[in-house]
Amino acid sequence: MLHQTCESAVSFFVVKQLLPSQKKQWAVYVLEKRAMSFLIISAMLLTGTFIANFWCTLCFLVGWLLLRKRAGGYHASSPLRCAIGSEVILLFCLGVAIPLLNTIQFPAMILFSFTALVLVWLIGCMNHPNLQLNTYEFATNNLRAISVPPFVKL
């Protein structure tokens, strides 16, 4: 359904000669990807608001999206699986992990944050086959990825 809607929208722009017909498939892909991202993030924001609160959910999503953008990581085989996986991660983090971490004392929190930083350093940046990052780009993304956990903690 989403694919058909995106294809109709792009066809409209092609007919109006606002988009060259050679870029139709590319435009459908980009529009579909953006629409799915918007729908998934909106659903996560709504779900998170019911579990925790709006600001906690917003901070989690900003940190998670920054880390995901820099680190790459797992790519689901379909948009539906991506949405379900994202919701499960959100439910676990906001419903279980954050309340549990709020009970930990300050020194243990520093240890936990340092462990998260080391884990992101070791396994954070992944070179997805579609990206084909060179050595410099990979190292740069890895450094950007490790800068996210301290930001999220703030």
Side-chain angles (χ1 to χ4, degrees):
M1 186 169 135
L2 182 65
H3 180 73
Q4 293 169 343
T5 305
C6 293
E7 199 162 297
S8 297
V10 170
S11 294
F12 171 79
F13 288 111
V14 170
V15 168
K16 296 292 182 181
Q17 296 180 342
L18 297 171
L19 183 71
S21 60
Q22 305 91 299
K23 293 193 174 192
K24 183 178 178 183
Q25 290 299 87
W26 171 81
V28 169
Y29 169 76
V30 169
L31 187 58
E32 193 173 347
K33 185 177 175 187
R34 300 285 170 136
M36 278 306 295
S37 294
F38 174 77
L39 291 172
I40 290 171
I41 291 170
S42 297
M44 290 177 72
L45 196 56
L46 186 63
T47 303
T49 301
F50 286 120
I51 293 172
N53 63 48
F54 175 78
W55 296 111
C56 184
T57 304
L58 186 64
C59 289
F60 172 79
L61 284 175
V62 166
W64 187 61
L65 292 172
L66 283 172
L67 183 61
R68 192 171 170 207
K69 180 180 179 181
R70 300 287 195 282
Y74 174 74
H75 292 272
S77 59
S78 72
L80 180 61
R81 288 183 183 200
C82 180
I84 292 170
S86 298
E87 287 288 334
V88 168
I89 290 170
L90 178 82
L91 289 170
F92 174 76
C93 289
L94 292 181
V96 177
I98 290 179
L100 182 64
L101 290 175
N102 285 336
T103 63
I104 297 175
Q105 299 297 323
F106 184 74
M109 185 58 74
I110 296 295
L111 179 64
F112 179 79
S113 297
F114 181 74
T115 304
L117 184 71
V118 169
L119 285 174
V120 170
W121 176 265
L122 293 175
I123 61 173
C125 190
M126 295 184 172
N127 195 359
H128 189 271
N130 294 341
L131 290 177
Q132 298 299 321
L133 299 175
N134 64 32
T135 307
Y136 174 76
E137 293 168 331
F138 185 78
T140 302
N141 273 358
N142 201 22
L143 287 174
R144 287 179 179 166
I146 64 165
S147 67
V148 174
F151 165 76
V152 173
K153 186 61 192 146
L154 295 176

